[in-house]
Every structure is written in C-alpha cells, then in structure tokens.
Amino acid sequence: MISEVNADTLLQVFGRFHIVLLHLPIGLIPGMILLEFGALLLGRPAPKGAIMTLSVLTAVVAALAFASGWVLGAEPRTPAKEALIATHKNFAIAMTALCVLLPIMAAFTRRRAYRVGLLGALALSVVTGHYGGEAVHKSNYLFKPLERRAAATSQAADNAGTTPPEVASRYDREVAPIMERCCTSCHNADDYEGDLDLTSHALVMEGWGDEKIVTPGDPDQSIMIESFELPIDDEMHMPPADEPQLTPQELATLRKWIRDGCPK
C-alpha cells in the first residue's frame, strides 16, 4: 500500500537507483573527451558552451551516483564483499571529487588542467567500475572469460600428464569439472555468492548447513538440480543466463551421482 511507504523505504529505493545513475557520468565523460580533444585534433576552438553544460551535468549526476551508492552500500552483504566495497568506495570518492571540479577547470582559459582532469576522470571511472563489477558479480569480473580460458588450457595440460585418471575419486573425475566450469567462479571462498562455496565435495554436501542443496539418492528433491532445470529466464535458474550452462550430458552425470548417494 502507498500509505505504508516511509522515508526508509524511499531511501532504499534511491540506493538501488545507483545501478541507473552510475552509467550517466561514465557516458558523459567520453563525450566531453570527444568534444575537447576532437576540436584540438581538428585545430578548432573547443565548444566551450557545450563542454561547460556537460561538465556541470557530469558533476551533478556523479554526485547523485555517489550518494545512491553510499546508501546502497549500507545494505547487508557477505563479509567477503567488505574489502571490495571499501576499495570501490574509495575510488568512487576520488572520481566524484574530480567530476565536481570539472566545471571549474572547464571555465579556465588554459585547457591543460581540464584535459588532464578529463583523462583522470576517465581512468578513475574504469577502475571504479572494475571494483564495482567485482563487488556485484564476482572476483575479476572483467577478465573472467580470459581466466576461464587459461584454466581450461591448464586443465587440458594436466590431463595429458602422467597421473592416471583412475587415481582420482569419482567426485573429482565426474563432478568437480562440471562445478568448476559452471559454478565455482561465483560460489567460492572469495566470492561466496548465495552464501555457498562449491569448491569441494565436503562443501557441496554442506550446502547452507541446516539446508542442503543435494539430497543423496534423490536428485528430484535436490535444490541444486532444481535450480539447474528451471527455465533459463527464471531468476532462480543457475547458472545465470550470461554464464556457461550445463549440457544435458553434464546434468545427467550430476543426477546419476546424486542418485548413487553423492559418493566421493
């Protein structure tokens, strides 16, 4: 009911608008760089009116994005995210301060300070966004595809080594590679998405402690299998739609492993 909305609720909504507001300065800064350095390359005067207008707008939206992020940062989060949030916040402070100074620097007749400020704001937006992506998504979010590729190459090299495959346990042979490909980039000791670490047999069996994600002997009653089999557009489907998905063969392997009692 509208009557039940209070100041705290509205403040929470403002905090969650951070995901919208943060894109505005990130988009405006390259636009100002294009106007400023484009004019320089063409040997023409910079369009100071347009640049001043965009500088003021950037300062305003950067301040709003920072304020909303500060509010959002007060929401509960896992301990693993604390350091990332703190680093993200520190770079956001620097970026916001520089953006607020841009209109002042844009008013100078000499353009050097403004140009340095623009490039600095661009660099800070990249670093701030990087740590924000890690805090919201996972560790090393920007370069995770390259990391996965390197891990796959390393795994292939290991498989070609001298250790016989039969030495490994059934979990390590059949289940661990599936978990590594589709699950553990998010569910690990560093990222700990959903309060789950799925990097070992013991941790998979532990689940959430009192609530298990696998029911030995019964894949149809296992939360893990249920989440894999939900429609891909369902918000509870795992892995998320933009992550590598299980193949039918991998799903069948996991079902059989659970049906057999989740052996090591």
Side-chain angles (χ1 to χ4, degrees):
M1 296 290 293
I2 297 297
S3 61
E4 296 176 353
V5 175
N6 54 34
D8 288 340
T9 303
L10 293 176
L11 192 62
Q12 288 180 345
V13 172
F14 172 68
R16 297 189 178 200
F17 257 83
H18 181 65
I19 195 171
V20 176
L21 294 170
L22 67 88
H23 293 94
L24 299 178
I26 292 174
L28 288 169
I29 291 169
M32 290 187 291
I33 288 176
L34 181 63
L35 289 175
E36 181 70 24
F37 289 94
L40 180 65
L41 289 173
L42 294 173
R44 297 179 181 178
K48 292 185 178 180
I51 288 174
M52 178 59 75
T53 300
L54 291 178
S55 296
V56 172
L57 182 59
T58 300
V60 172
V61 296
L64 287 172
F66 178 77
S68 62
W70 188 280
V71 172
L72 183 63
E75 291 195 2
R77 54 184 178 268
T78 61
K81 299 294 186 183
E82 290 289 345
L84 280 174
I85 293 291
T87 304
H88 173 63
K89 186 183 294 185
N90 290 336
F91 279 106
I93 291 171
M95 176 184 169
T96 303
L98 189 52
C99 286
V100 170
L101 291 174
L102 284 178
I104 299 172
M105 292 186 282
F108 293 164
T109 301
R110 293 173 179 259
R111 309 300 292 173
R112 179 175 296 178
Y114 178 67
R115 290 166 183 167
V116 171
L118 275 179
L119 295 177
L122 179 64
L124 284 170
S125 72
V126 172
V127 177
T128 304
H130 168 65
Y131 283 108
E134 287 200 345
V136 172
H137 298 282
K138 66 191 72 170
S139 177
N140 198 27
Y141 177 68
L142 289 178
F143 303 105
K144 184 62 71 175
L146 296 176
E147 187 178 283
R148 285 199 197 104
R149 181 60 181 170
T153 302
S154 176
Q155 184 64 46
D158 290 343
N159 290 342
T162 58
T163 303
E166 58 269 23
V167 171
S169 69
R170 178 174 171 184
Y171 178 86
D172 289 337
R173 291 196 317 269
E174 299 180 4
V175 179
I178 300 173
M179 306 302 285
E180 289 170 6
R181 193 178 75 82
C182 298
C183 304
T184 58
S185 62
C186 294
H187 301 290
N188 58 68
D190 293 325
D191 294 312
Y192 209 56
E193 294 291 338
D195 297 329
L196 280 173
D197 183 347
L198 303 179
T199 54
S200 73
H201 178 275
L203 291 169
V204 170
M205 300 307 297
E206 178 181 316
W208 291 292
D210 292 337
E211 187 176 5
K212 307 302 181 184
I213 63 170
V214 292
T215 303
D218 194 347
D220 291 328
Q221 294 299 317
S222 297
I223 293 173
M224 184 172 72
I225 296 298
E226 179 184 353
S227 69
F228 289 154
E229 294 183 339
L230 286 170
I232 196 167
D233 58 349
D234 191 301
E235 64 178 359
M236 299 304 293
H237 172 84
M238 290 292 154
D242 60 345
E243 296 289 339
Q245 301 296 306
L246 273 76
T247 66
Q249 293 79 8
E250 288 173 329
L251 185 57
T253 296
L254 290 178
R255 277 185 155 276
K256 188 174 189 308
W257 174 71
I258 295 174
R259 191 179 302 113
D260 291 345
C262 303
K264 289 184 179 181

